[in-house]
Amino acid sequence: MSFRERVFLIRRKENISKMKNVDEAKTTVNSSSFSDDVDHHHHRHRHQMKNSKDDDLHDEESKSKSKRYSLVSFWELPEYMKDNEFVVNYYRANWPVKEALFSVFRWHNETLNVWTHLIGFILFVALTMANLMEIPQVADLISFITRSFPISGDTNVSHNSKDFFMEATNLIDLKRISSDDMDLNPGLIPVTRWPFFVFLSGSMFCLLSSSVCHLFSCHSRHLNLLLLRIDYVGITVMIITSFFPPIFYIFQCDPRWHFIYLGGITAMGMFTIITLLSPTLSTGKFRGFRALLFCSMGFFGFVPAVHALVVNWNNPQRDITLAYEAAMAVFYLTGTMFYVSRIPERWKPGWFDLAGHSHQIFHVLVVFGALAHYGATLVFLEWRDRVGCLNVV
């Protein structure tokens, strides 16, 4: 083989080798590109799957949250909330405190229970403030404080001081004049108002504790039991404090009866409170027993009522006070009847879930009973202020 043929063969082999390397490189590049495409596709697919799972999870959380704060039926309630099977729907169960608070503006089967006593509470706050303004000492104090502040910005410090002492002198003069007037009527003594405000305070506590109980008892079992006990304590306190004005003012001339009657009803109330603090007695099973305890405290009032009627038989205000107190008794006893019997929802379960069921009627009648007793107390006060007591022990 000639030299030229050898060179040609060597170059041909080199070219073939280069072509193989180029093909392998292309194959490698194509393979790498395909692998990158596959990896990118898988990454995008995983990203889409992740987003889809996140969206599904978010939807599930939203649905769960919406379902959690939705109203449920009686049969979906936890056992500690099952009290009245005749109220079938529109219950709140295991709601957070914030959600329970704002549910005061939502419709559910406790809405009217909350608002009937909340409005009653606001009404008694207004009555309390109005009566406080009628007390001369309170009115004088408010007037004194009001007049002591400068009306104009041009008033200087020395002028303020001068007005302050002038007002104080005027108040002292008013007290001296009042004292002189009382000397002219030595038989009349000013009637104290504290029994009247004890009754108003007890009524406000009862109405407020009831509203709070019905608003937040859907939160948890622990809070439910705690608020139920406070609610029962509120009812007991209202019954006890209702005895203070009539017994105090009717028997003002013979204070020994204060200790007998007020001591007796207070002892009964304390026994009732201690009894109702038992968690077992807070359940719906003992509804009748609780009503019996409250009614027994109310029936205790018949003894001082008969006594007062005998003592004040010739009192011209007798018939008015009897009418008020009889109305109070009718309201309270009728409300208790609805509370125990669960009428009318017993007749048509599910028809009175939102409005008209027995507990709502009971709440309205309690407010009416308290207002009737308030009217009787005003008559007691007016009569005692006018008649006084000449033989106070």
Side-chain angles (χ1 to χ4, degrees):
M1 180 180 296
S2 64
F3 176 75
R4 294 180 64 180
E5 290 177 347
R6 289 179 181 174
V7 172
F8 175 77
L9 290 174
I10 291 172
R11 288 181 177 176
R12 185 178 180 183
K13 289 180 179 180
E14 290 177 354
N15 291 334
I16 293 174
S17 177
K18 288 180 180 180
M19 290 178 64
K20 287 182 179 181
N21 291 335
V22 170
D23 291 338
E24 289 177 357
K26 289 182 178 179
T27 302
T28 302
V29 171
N30 292 335
S31 176
S32 176
S33 176
F34 176 76
S35 177
D36 291 341
D37 290 340
V38 171
D39 291 341
H40 178 71
H41 176 73
H42 284 307
H43 177 72
R44 185 173 62 183
H45 181 69
R46 285 195 300 269
H47 183 69
Q48 291 176 348
M49 289 290 292
K50 182 179 180 181
N51 289 340
S52 177
K53 289 180 179 179
D54 291 340
D55 292 340
D56 291 341
L57 183 61
H58 179 72
D59 292 340
E60 288 177 1
E61 289 178 352
S62 299
K63 290 179 181 178
S64 176
K65 184 176 181 180
S66 175
K67 182 178 179 181
R68 181 184 178 188
Y69 302 149
S70 62
L71 302 177
V72 299
S73 69
F74 176 84
W75 311 110
E76 298 175 90
L77 291 174
E79 286 299 323
Y80 71 89
M81 290 188 66
K82 290 184 177 180
D83 179 64
N84 189 350
E85 66 273 18
F86 304 114
V87 177
V88 180
N89 293 304
Y90 306 106
Y91 285 92
R92 301 162 300 151
N94 297 324
W95 282 27
V97 172
K98 181 180 178 181
E99 296 293 330
L101 174 63
F102 287 106
S103 70
V104 71
F105 302 111
R106 290 184 56 180
W107 268 110
H108 45 80
N109 58 26
E110 295 280 20
T111 301
L112 292 183
N113 285 332
V114 173
W115 278 102
T116 46
H117 275 185
L118 186 59
I119 292 174
F121 168 74
I122 296 172
L123 177 60
F124 269 84
V125 169
L127 292 174
T128 302
M129 298 303 297
N131 283 279
L132 280 173
M133 294 300 298
E134 294 295 325
I135 298 178
Q137 294 86 342
V138 176
D140 289 343
L141 177 62
I142 295 175
S143 177
F144 172 68
I145 294 174
T146 304
R147 295 176 192 173
S148 297
F149 287 104
I151 300 175
S152 173
D154 299 332
T155 308
N156 57 31
V157 176
S158 61
H159 187 64
N160 290 343
S161 302
K162 182 178 178 181
D163 288 344
F164 181 87
F165 288 110
M166 288 180 64
E167 293 295 338
T169 305
N170 291 335
L171 285 178
I172 294 173
D173 291 340
L174 288 174
K175 291 180 180 295
R176 180 176 58 79
I177 294 172
S178 300
S179 178
D180 292 341
D181 292 339
M182 286 179 61
D183 291 339
L184 298 176
N185 300 284
L188 284 177
I189 62 172
V191 178
T192 182
R193 256 48 177 182
W194 70 261
F196 179 48
F197 289 107
V198 165
F199 158 64
L200 292 175
S201 300
S203 299
M204 289 187 290
F205 174 69
C206 173
L207 296 171
L208 182 61
S209 61
S210 174
S211 295
V212 171
C213 175
H214 285 283
L215 185 60
F216 292 104
S217 60
C218 64
H219 172 62
S220 63
R221 183 178 186 276
H222 174 74
L223 188 61
N224 179 281
L225 291 177
L226 176 63
L227 292 178
L228 281 176
R229 295 177 194 172
I230 295 176
D231 188 21
Y232 300 146
V233 170
I235 297 172
T236 307
V237 168
M238 185 177 184
I239 295 174
I240 295 173
T241 56
S242 295
F243 279 80
F244 274 72
I247 290 178
F248 187 90
Y249 295 126
I250 290 174
F251 299 103
Q252 183 173 347
C253 298
D254 196 355
R256 60 182 173 177
W257 295 109
H258 296 171
F259 298 101
I260 295 175
Y261 291 136
L262 294 181
I265 189 60
T266 302
M268 289 186 66
M270 295 303 297
F271 171 77
T272 302
I273 290 174
I274 293 173
T275 303
L276 293 178
L277 287 179
S278 168
T280 304
L281 296 178
S282 298
T283 60
K285 180 180 178 181
F286 291 91
R287 173 188 298 267
F289 175 74
R290 293 194 298 269
L292 179 62
L293 285 177
F294 296 141
C295 287
S296 64
M297 294 179 64
F299 288 138
F300 175 83
F302 278 109
V303 177
V306 173
H307 186 180
L309 191 62
V310 172
V311 172
N312 297 279
W313 185 258
N314 295 323
N315 187 340
Q317 304 294 333
R318 180 196 63 194
D319 294 339
I320 300 177
T321 55
L322 281 177
Y324 275 121
E325 298 292 31
M328 178 198 69
V330 169
F331 285 134
Y332 283 159
L333 291 175
T334 306
T336 304
M337 181 197 72
F338 278 102
Y339 174 81
V340 174
S341 64
R342 297 178 179 180
I343 294 172
E345 66 269 17
R346 176 184 294 273
W347 297 335
K348 291 286 186 178
W351 280 41
F352 304 96
D353 291 350
L354 291 176
H357 62 75
S358 59
H359 206 92
Q360 296 168 351
I361 299 173
F362 167 67
H363 273 208
V364 173
L365 292 175
V366 165
V367 175
F368 285 166
L371 289 174
H373 191 61
Y374 172 80
T377 302
L378 290 181
V379 176
F380 293 140
L381 276 173
E382 181 186 359
W383 167 69
R384 186 55 74 183
D385 279 336
R386 187 176 65 256
V387 175
C389 186
L390 298 176
N391 58 335
V392 178
V393 178

